[in-house]
Amino acid sequence: FGRVQLKYYPKQMADIQKCMNYFCDCIESLPGLRPIRPAKDSGSTRGGWYFPTCHYVPAELGGLSVQRFAQAVLAEGAPCAAGCNKPLHTHPLFHEMDVYGHGKPTRLAHLPDGVDVRQGLGSLPVTEGINAGVIIIPWFKHFRKDVIDRYVAAYKKVIDHHAALLGDDR
C-alpha cells in the first residue's frame, strides 16, 4: 500500500506547498500574524505541512489574547486553534506515570529516595509561554482558491475588528 502511494507523493507535496504558501503569502502582511514556514527557496516541504502553525503577536492587536482571536476566527467559519502541543515537561508521563510498576513515577524510579528532578509549572516560563503566541492554521491539501480566500477573509475580518473583541477578552 505504502509503495503504491509513494508514486503520488511528489504531486501531493507540490499541491500542498502551493496551497499553504498561497495562504501564508496572503496572511503574512496582516498585523499580528507571522506564518511559520521554510524559506521558499529552501526546497523543504515542511513534512507535508502537518500541523501548520503561525506566530501570533498580541501586541499588534491591542493585546487580544490568542484564545479570543482563535474563537473569533472560528466564528467566522475558518479553522483556527489557540496554542500548540502542551509543553513536554508538564506532561503526566514525566510527573506521575509509573510505566514499569516501580511504585513511583518512572522518571524517579532509579534515583535515590528523596531526589525529585521533575519540573513543574513555572520552572520553564519561556517554554510554557509559547502557547500564548502560536495558533494552528488551516491545512490545505488541494488548491481551491475560493476556499483559501474565504479563510483569509475570515482572518482579515477578525484582525480588522480586533478592537471590538477586546472588551470581552478574559
Side-chain angles (χ1 to χ4, degrees):
F1 178 79
R3 286 177 22 152
V4 170
Q5 291 300 311
L6 281 175
K7 68 183 172 185
Y8 303 111
Y9 182 79
K11 181 178 179 341
Q12 290 171 343
M13 286 299 94
D15 290 347
I16 292 169
Q17 284 289 98
K18 180 179 178 181
C19 299
M20 294 307 299
N21 278 315
Y22 177 75
F23 180 77
C24 289
D25 288 346
C26 290
I27 66 168
E28 74 183 347
S29 64
L30 299 175
L33 301 180
R34 306 286 185 284
I36 301 171
R37 61 176 168 170
K40 291 180 186 178
D41 60 355
S42 70
S44 173
T45 63
R46 197 176 182 264
W49 287 82
Y50 172 73
F51 203 72
T53 53
C54 185
H55 287 289
Y56 176 72
V57 186
E60 294 180 7
L61 298 174
L64 185 66
S65 72
V66 68
Q67 292 85 3
R68 186 67 183 104
F69 178 83
Q71 288 172 348
V73 172
L74 279 171
E76 291 300 322
C80 185
C84 55
N85 294 333
K86 182 178 184 177
L88 285 179
H89 74 284
T90 65
H91 195 283
L93 176 66
F94 299 113
H95 285 269
E96 305 154 13
M97 295 180 76
D98 182 3
V99 178
Y100 300 109
H102 290 105
K104 58 182 170 179
T106 299
R107 183 168 185 178
L108 307 177
H110 300 291
L111 296 175
D113 285 338
V115 174
D116 190 339
V117 294
R118 295 175 289 185
Q119 294 174 285
L121 281 175
S123 64
L124 297 173
V126 173
T127 300
E128 294 164 24
I130 288 173
N131 278 320
V134 176
I135 58 170
I136 301 167
I137 59 175
W139 181 51
F140 304 98
K141 291 175 62 175
H142 307 286
F143 192 76
R144 295 184 182 130
K145 187 176 182 304
D146 61 321
V147 173
I148 298 171
D149 287 344
R150 192 168 62 240
Y151 288 177
V152 169
Y155 279 74
K156 186 173 181 341
K157 182 177 179 182
V158 169
I159 289 168
D160 288 346
H161 297 92
H162 73 275
L165 300 170
L166 292 169
D168 66 350
D169 190 12
R170 291 179 246 139

